[in-house]
Amino acid sequence: MAVLEMEKREKGSEAAGEGVGAGAADGATLPLTGAQLEQDDALFEHLMQQVGEKGPFQQRFNLLFNLVFTVFISMPYLNIVMAMAVPGHWCYVPGREHSNYTIDEWKELTIPRDATEDDGFSKCLMYNASSPENSSPLLDGLAASANESVGGGSYGAGVVGCQNGWEYDKTWYTLTAPSQENWVCNDSIYVSNVFAFSRAGDVLGSFVFGQLGDSIGRRPVFFVTLLLLVVGRGLAVVTAGIYPLFLIMAVVGSVPSSAAFQSPFTVGMEVSAGDKRGHIAMLQCLGWTLGICAVPLLAWAFTHWVTLMLITTLPCVPFIFLHKLFTESPRWLASRGETGRCREVLEYIARVNGTQLPPETDAVLERIAGQREKSFGLASLFSSRRLAVVTVLISYSWFINSVTYYTLMLHVNSLSGNPFLNYLWQSLVELPGYIIGQWACDRYGRRWSQAVCFLLLTFAYLGLVGTVANVEYSLETTLLVVFAKFCVTITFYVIYLQCMEIYPTCVRQTGTALASLVGSGLGILGPYILYLGEYDARFPHAMMSVLAASGALACSFLPETLHQQLPETLADAHRFGTDQRYWQFRYRPRPSARDAPEKKPPHAHKEGVS
């Protein structure tokens, strides 16, 4: 079956999306010919070109929901991390308020030494003094306990656990959830549980809402996930005192973490011109980076965790009331056979763009409805050998990206100095990565851009193997870590874009959700890979270099999507990319049949035909 390459045109697509408005001003449209109606794979492309693929509607939607909304939605994605920070702490021993001791002097008298802690004092033990207000019994207890072993975990009668609660270092945080509820020492597992449950909620949400987006629509999933996020994060601030409820709210607020980004991105991709896909992905990535850069700055300004949670969650609330601006994807409606609703959305887009629907709209939509195929959710991703291989390769590439990204982010916790600035620098490096990633993807294609960056990431980790164990190369180590973060930023941008382009309309969000699920689920390996550094600092980087190299190989076998028409059906996906060569590097838009210059009959000049 021939495929009209409507999205493979740069100038032609521009004329169809932006230039249509000029023709529509006097009521003119570009009618579909009978030959074009025979092209089953490109029917909807004709309609979108008449409606406009680069008009005011697309500009407004993508700026509002794929940039501004992404900035706000990424903040509650990360505010739980800052809220769950555990400040430096030690046992509270009453009596200093009645003396002239400084904090350090009082800790010398009341807290045993522990060489394994950063400040040299135990976080969970104190000297057993019967009357700490009286310096003599205190010093007696100190003398009796001075020789006890603390760092190894064994201690005698002179050292006990904290009896009166804890004091917290308030240099950077006024109050966090763990310091408010004393989730430290024997209860420190509470913090780990919150992160584990949050990750489980993210995996669950990716699995459930990814499929719902393809079964009930992108629009309802968007508003349900947005509402869940606001409720989960909002109620977390009042449930910390009831730990089981706090865990539930952590899950509720994390369920939509990934799904909330997918719906606006999918709709934006499905209503915009093919050469704008990279731009839309860039908008989301830019919004993500701005959001995660804002969180540490806000945490620095508002050091109370309740204030931080509210000030980073409430900006999402107004988007709940923008239901009229967030339309359902007309491409998805057409694939579901909902011709009436699809026509209404197309008319709305045309009205905003100043265009008109062609007279053949109803006939085209009815024909698309007659082509509707049955989708079986996740099972559809493995409905053919080729699609199954593509699904495995995408999921594996997403896993490599996730484990690398989060492993690098964990380095922030091990850095000294201002934690907010450390987090900010790690986030800012993503901005040039996304910019260069879009340029490379639009010029050289998706798959080779990702493969080359994975190779560069491999070399960066190999360099770290040679520098990380030598303190003389601390500057080189820092530069290599920053360069590795730069490379993985590009690869993450590319794989996110490829997920939306490779999968057909009927399972687009399902396929993206599966890749996200695999990446999030296996991403928990990151901390364990870092733990290998306890034996040899070079081990984690050696392992990550192997993973990066395997990622380069895996993504190189994915089909190229630059200038390619989005697959509409599973049949399209089954043959997508079969005409591509492995060592093909440049992909130029090819004009469609409608754009080809009209050929004159051989004898036209003799008959006066012009």
Side-chain angles (χ1 to χ4, degrees), residues 137-157:
L138 182 63
L139 293 176
D140 291 341
L142 172 63
S145 308
N147 296 323
E148 301 293 345
S149 174
V150 175
S154 61
Y155 50 92

Side-chain angles (χ1 to χ4, degrees), residues 188-470:
S188 61
I189 191 65
Y190 285 12
V191 177
S192 299
N193 288 341
V194 171
F195 288 126
F197 274 70
S198 297
R199 176 54 63 91
D202 187 7
V203 173
L204 176 65
S206 298
F207 177 77
V208 173
F209 288 109
Q211 296 187 80
L212 286 179
D214 289 326
S215 58
I216 67 174
R218 288 69 160 114
R219 188 171 184 264
V221 165
F222 171 78
F223 288 103
V224 170
T225 53
L226 177 57
L227 183 62
L228 285 175
L229 186 141
V230 171
V231 170
R233 291 291 186 261
L235 293 182
V237 302
V238 296
T239 58
I242 308 174
Y243 186 69
L245 284 180
F246 187 82
L247 276 183
I248 293 174
M249 290 303 105
V251 173
V252 171
S254 299
V255 161
S257 294
S258 298
F261 294 91
Q262 294 174 9
S263 293
F265 186 44
T266 304
V267 174
M269 295 274 286
E270 293 178 341
V271 300
S272 301
D275 58 355
K276 288 294 184 180
R277 299 176 202 154
H279 173 70
I280 298 170
M282 175 62 183
L283 288 179
Q284 268 218 346
C285 292
L286 177 62
W288 164 266
T289 301
L290 293 176
I292 64 175
C293 286
V295 172
L297 295 178
L298 291 172
W300 195 2
F302 303 96
T303 55
H304 196 292
W305 78 279
V306 172
T307 305
L308 175 65
M309 292 285 283
L310 293 177
I311 205 169
T312 53
T313 300
L314 293 180
C316 297
V317 174
F319 287 90
I320 298 176
F321 303 98
L322 298 181
H323 55 277
K324 291 185 178 179
L325 298 181
F326 195 101
T327 62
E328 183 56 84
S329 167
R331 190 185 296 268
W332 177 83
L333 291 171
S335 71
R336 300 283 295 183
E338 300 187 31
T339 57
R341 290 180 59 196
C342 182
R343 182 183 178 88
E344 292 178 1
V345 174
L346 289 174
E347 288 177 342
Y348 173 72
I349 296 175
R351 187 163 59 252
V352 175
N353 286 345
T355 61
Q356 294 180 355
L357 293 182
E360 299 83 1
T361 298
D362 290 333
V364 171
L365 292 180
E366 289 296 334
R367 177 152 189 167
I368 294 175
Q371 300 170 0
R372 179 185 174 188
E373 61 182 352
K374 183 67 174 178
S375 173
F376 298 96
L378 285 175
S380 299
L381 302 177
F382 302 91
S383 56
S384 71
R385 180 179 179 274
R386 178 171 180 78
L387 188 55
V389 170
V390 167
T391 299
V392 171
L393 292 176
I394 285 181
S395 299
Y396 183 75
S397 298
W398 194 297
F399 154 64
I400 301 298
N401 276 282
S402 294
V403 72
T404 306
Y405 185 92
Y406 290 113
T407 300
L408 288 171
M409 290 300 292
L410 287 176
H411 279 285
V412 177
N413 296 328
S414 62
L415 299 177
S416 59
N418 188 324
F420 308 119
L421 288 180
N422 290 338
Y423 202 98
L424 179 63
W425 305 143
Q426 288 284 338
S427 302
L428 281 176
V429 75
E430 296 185 13
L431 285 176
Y434 291 136
I435 294 173
I436 295 177
Q438 182 189 2
W439 172 82
C441 285
D442 289 343
R443 184 175 180 85
Y444 300 108
R446 283 51 160 148
R447 68 189 186 106
W448 286 119
S449 296
Q450 184 173 205
V452 169
C453 285
F454 265 134
L455 285 177
L456 294 176
L457 182 63
T458 302
F459 296 138
Y461 274 116
L462 289 176
L464 285 169
V465 171
T467 64
V468 71
N470 194 331

Side-chain angles (χ1 to χ4, degrees), residues 4 6 29-40 42-43 46-47 50 358-361 363-364 367 592-595:
L4 287 180
M6 290 313 212
T29 60
L30 299 176
L32 307 181
T33 66
Q36 290 163 349
L37 285 174
E38 293 298 323
Q39 309 302 324
D40 293 340
L43 290 175
H46 289 292
L47 293 182
Q50 305 306 308
E360 299 83 1
T361 298
V364 171
R367 177 152 189 167
S592 67
R594 194 180 74 177
D595 298 316

Side-chain angles (χ1 to χ4, degrees), residues 433-610:
Y434 291 136
I435 294 173
I436 295 177
Q438 182 189 2
W439 172 82
C441 285
D442 289 343
R443 184 175 180 85
Y444 300 108
R446 283 51 160 148
R447 68 189 186 106
W448 286 119
S449 296
Q450 184 173 205
V452 169
C453 285
F454 265 134
L455 285 177
L456 294 176
L457 182 63
T458 302
F459 296 138
Y461 274 116
L462 289 176
L464 285 169
V465 171
T467 64
V468 71
N470 194 331
V471 294
E472 296 180 359
Y473 299 129
S474 58
L475 177 60
E476 289 80 359
T477 298
T478 301
L479 293 176
L480 285 171
V481 169
V482 172
F483 181 69
K485 183 65 180 300
F486 170 79
C487 292
V488 78
T489 297
I490 296 178
T491 59
F492 211 105
Y493 165 85
V494 178
I495 194 63
Y496 191 37
L497 180 61
Q498 284 179 310
C499 278
M500 292 295 176
E501 294 181 326
I502 289 178
Y503 289 117
T505 304
C506 56
V507 291
R508 183 160 291 134
Q509 284 197 220
T510 300
T512 305
L514 176 63
S516 176
L517 184 151
V518 171
S520 298
L522 296 180
I524 61 176
L525 295 176
Y528 298 102
I529 293 177
L530 285 179
Y531 183 73
L532 293 175
E534 297 290 330
Y535 303 96
D536 190 319
R538 297 170 295 181
F539 284 172
H541 305 292
M543 180 170 290
M544 293 305 299
S545 68
V546 174
L547 289 177
S550 67
L553 180 63
C555 70
S556 69
F557 287 100
L558 288 172
E560 179 56 62
T561 58
L562 178 62
H563 299 312
Q564 305 300 302
Q565 180 178 300
L566 291 177
E568 299 292 343
T569 64
L570 290 173
D572 296 341
H574 293 166
R575 61 176 179 269
F576 185 76
T578 54
D579 58 340
Q580 298 176 6
R581 300 187 306 274
Y582 181 80
W583 292 110
Q584 186 174 355
F585 292 97
R586 297 300 298 271
Y587 298 86
R588 300 181 182 278
R590 293 175 296 180
S592 67
R594 194 180 74 177
D595 298 316
E598 183 180 359
K599 294 182 178 181
K600 298 179 181 180
H603 55 286
H605 63 284
K606 297 180 180 180
E607 298 180 0
V609 179
S610 60

